[in-house]
Every structure is written in C-alpha cells, then in structure tokens.
Amino acid sequence: MKRIRDYGVTIGRLKPGERNKITDVEGVTVGHHTLKDGDSQTGVTAILPHQGNVFREKLVASSHVINGFGKTMGTIQMQELGTLETPIVLTNTLSIGTAAESLIEYMLERNPEIGRTTGTVNPVVGECNDMVLNDIRAQSVDKNHVHSVLDQTSLDFEEGCKGAGAGMLCYSMKGGIGSSSRLIDLNHGVYTLGVLVLTNFGLLSDLTVNGKPVGRELAHHLTEAKEERDKGSVMVIVATDLPVTERQLNRIIKRSVTGLSRTGSMITTGSGEVVIGFSTATRIPHEQKGALLNASFIHEEEIDEAFRAISEATEEAVLNSMITAIPTIGRDGNERPTLTHLLEKYHVSLT
C-alpha cells in the first residue's frame, strides 16, 4: 500500500524511523480487528506500549484534550498519577463499554492480584464516531474482537480502513488509521517519537498537503457536492523512548495540534481531539519497595526537537490515514471517495 511519501510528499525536515510508524519506538506493537460487512464498517485497534506486564511495569504517561467532544476512558487517572498501566484500545463511540470491559478482563487474567491484594486497574480507551458508514447502533464490536486484537499485535500493521478506522472519514473523504515517526538527535543519544492517529474530522475544502491547498482544488471540481459540517473527531496516540517527566510529556503531546492544523483542521466545536502519550524510557514498578525511584529526563532546553518531531509525525500520520484508505460502501449505501480516487479523477497533484 502506497503511503504519502510514495507520492513525492516529504513532511518536515526530521528523519523518520525505519518503518515510519509508531512501532519504531522499541517495544510498541499495534493490532487491528476489522469488521467490513455491509452496514457494519467498524473495528478495534490496540496499541501495546511494551511487551512486558504493563500493570506491573507502568510507564510515564499523559493526556491532553484539544477539544473535548469525546468519550475517552482512563484519562482522569492518567492525568492524576502520570502513568499508563494498560494497553490502549481504540474503537467506535458506542463500543467503548465493550472495549473497556474486554480490556479489564485481559488485565485481570494476567494480574490475579487486581481487586484482591492490590487496587483496581485503569483501562484506557479512545473513540471516534463512525455512524455515517457504520451502523453504530448495532454495536457490532464484541469482546472476542477486542481480545483477538490484544493477543495479536505486531511491529508492522496496515493503515487506512483497518481496525477502528474501518468506517471513519477525514476531510469529507475516507479516513482511518495513519502513523508516522521521527528521530530526535540529541547530544546524549538518538531517540524516537511515533504517532498513530484515528482520523474522523475536517472538511474537504480545508485539506492542506504540505502547504498546498489540495482540498480547495478538489472542492472546486466537486461543485455539485454540498459539504457537511465537521462533526468528527481524532485520536492521537503518541509513543516515545525519550526520557521525560510527565509534565514534559504533556508539553510535547500538546504540540500535536500544530500537525493537525497544518493539514487544515479548524478544531470545530463538534469535533473531539484527544491526545494520549507515553514514554517507554522509564518503567515504574507497581509495588513500592521502600526505596527511592530513579528516573532520567531531558533538560528543558532540549525539548524543542520533540516539539518539532510530534508536529511533523502527526501531520504525516493524518495524510497516511487518507492516502492508504480504500473505497467503502457502508450503512444504507453511504459512501465517501478516497483521496487517491479524487486525485486521479481530477488530475490533481500533491506536489
């Protein structure tokens, strides 16, 4: 499947990682379960932050709400304690309960001490509303789908209409899952920052590709089409091995908004933009052992490179979610064109 760089578009100036995906951060894996059957156009995507037991070895984490029209779970405790203790699951809006219950079951199976000799667990779930292409009322996602994803994540994964992205729209066209990464070269080492997005936002005429108003040019050809209001959302998942505090991580993930804006996002009132980030650099044991914990973190003067990295990776991830999407006919025959289809049909160049 061609990605945005295969069309001659190079975003920013930092180098991407080997795969140019969130899984360039060592230990991170991603899995999908996709439901594409008539009115059912939805699914589940899971991100494992490391390959150990995340409950027993927590990670520094943070979340940020750009616009709060969303139904995420787990971000309140994440903000309070600054840690992530489960995988992250993404799905459609009305399946967050199923996703959370399944994730809790997954964690209980692996941690018999939860609810017995220790406290409970904080499942982290994100969503977007795929009701245009998916019969969201049918709640097609079940526990088996979620469990299968959590058990089958990998370093390489598909983008576009996969997993939670099956029924999503972006800039009035088909959207879904996209990813990208950047290398951060500092005096004490080279670090990686990766982004995965679930895109479901924006109006066609606003789409900008590397500074070029591609959406405006395409909208000019589609004079008969009436643009809908932007009532979608985007989930931005950020992983890095950069040693940071929870406060520094929060500063970094906030800058994802610059990447969204460079693609044309206006952050409208009905669009929920939520960012969840974690660093794999420090593992925090669940059990306290009566000794001080040690953690390294960058100097504040070094953080600008991370700001640039997340901006570039977010921008490219959004574009990858669109350029890898395939034509989809969903609920009641609803469909949306893909970016590649419109580019070919109207002979519009991305460069």
Side-chain angles (χ1 to χ4, degrees):
M1 180 71 71
K2 287 186 175 181
R3 306 176 79 203
I4 197 67
R5 291 188 176 232
D6 296 313
Y7 291 83
V9 177
T10 301
I11 301 298
R13 66 192 194 200
L14 298 180
K15 293 181 179 179
E18 179 182 356
R19 300 176 190 84
N20 196 10
K21 292 180 178 180
I22 194 173
T23 49
D24 287 325
V25 178
E26 186 174 355
V28 178
T29 54
V30 173
H32 300 304
H33 188 98
T34 306
L35 299 172
K36 294 185 74 65
D37 182 15
D39 286 355
S40 180
Q41 302 290 328
T42 191
V44 182
T45 296
I47 302 97
L48 267 61
H50 67 67
Q51 300 307 295
N53 188 310
V54 188
F55 182 76
R56 295 173 187 164
E57 295 182 294
K58 308 179 197 303
L59 298 179
V60 171
S62 186
S63 66
H64 175 64
V65 177
I66 302 170
N67 191 62
F69 208 110
K71 287 82 179 170
T72 55
M73 297 182 68
T75 55
I76 295 176
Q77 181 172 310
M78 182 182 292
Q79 282 302 94
E80 184 69 20
L81 302 183
T83 57
L84 174 68
E85 62 183 20
T86 73
I88 300 168
V89 175
L90 304 177
T91 188
N92 72 69
T93 306
L94 297 188
S95 293
I96 56 172
T98 299
E101 190 172 357
S102 304
L103 183 53
I104 290 171
E105 290 176 352
Y106 173 87
M107 299 303 295
L108 292 178
E109 180 182 344
R110 287 155 179 78
N111 301 277
E113 68 273 28
I114 293 175
R116 291 291 187 265
T117 59
T118 190
T120 58
V121 66
N122 183 50
V124 178
V125 180
E127 55 75 37
C128 290
N129 181 356
D130 58 11
M131 62 179 282
V132 174
L133 295 180
N134 175 51
D135 181 3
I136 197 168
R137 289 177 60 90
Q139 296 179 281
S140 303
V141 173
D142 64 34
K143 289 183 179 180
N144 290 330
H145 301 145
V146 183
H147 284 296
S148 70
V149 173
L150 291 166
D151 290 334
Q152 298 181 31
T153 61
S154 61
L155 291 173
D156 202 15
F157 60 93
E158 295 184 84
E159 298 166 285
C161 308
K162 297 296 180 180
M168 302 299 173
L169 307 177
C170 193
Y171 290 109
S172 310
M173 296 172 282
K174 191 66 189 71
I177 295 290
S179 193
S180 185
S181 69
R182 290 296 185 274
L183 300 180
I184 303 170
D185 193 352
L186 301 177
N187 289 333
H188 39 77
V190 178
Y191 304 94
T192 305
L193 184 146
V195 170
L196 181 145
V197 294
L198 176 62
T199 62
N200 194 52
F201 68 96
L203 300 176
L204 174 61
S205 57
D206 290 329
L207 174 63
T208 302
V209 178
N210 210 16
K212 182 178 181 180
V214 171
R216 195 183 312 161
E217 190 171 349
L218 290 174
H220 174 74
H221 292 286
L222 295 168
T223 53
E224 73 283 358
K226 183 180 179 181
E227 285 196 314
E228 301 170 339
R229 289 183 60 195
D230 179 6
K231 297 185 290 184
S233 298
V234 60
M235 290 295 310
V236 182
I237 309 301
V238 183
T240 186
D241 57 9
L242 187 68
V244 286
T245 65
E246 178 271 335
R247 179 190 58 77
Q248 289 175 325
L249 180 61
N250 188 261
R251 294 191 68 206
I252 292 168
I253 67 175
K254 284 179 180 179
R255 268 64 180 187
S256 60
V257 70
T258 62
L260 294 175
S261 296
R262 278 186 54 81
T263 68
S265 175
M266 300 298 294
I267 320 294
T268 61
T269 186
S271 182
E273 281 79 12
V274 180
V275 195
I276 296 172
F278 59 88
S279 170
T280 63
T282 302
R283 296 193 184 188
I284 304 166
H286 177 71
E287 298 291 342
Q288 66 90 10
K289 297 180 180 179
L292 292 175
L293 299 177
N294 295 314
S296 299
F297 54 93
I298 62 171
H299 193 282
E300 218 69 25
E301 293 301 315
E302 298 175 302
I303 204 167
D304 280 348
E305 281 297 283
F307 290 170
R308 181 177 296 278
I310 193 170
S311 176
E312 292 183 8
T314 302
E315 180 181 358
E316 186 163 346
V318 171
L319 298 177
N320 277 333
S321 77
M322 301 175 67
I323 209 71
T324 58
I326 60 174
T328 301
I329 299 176
R331 178 181 63 83
D332 297 333
N334 292 340
E335 59 183 316
R336 291 294 184 276
T338 63
L339 177 56
T340 52
H341 171 74
L342 293 184
L343 293 173
E344 292 171 3
K345 181 177 181 180
Y346 298 113
H347 308 289
V348 174
S349 172
L350 292 176
T351 58

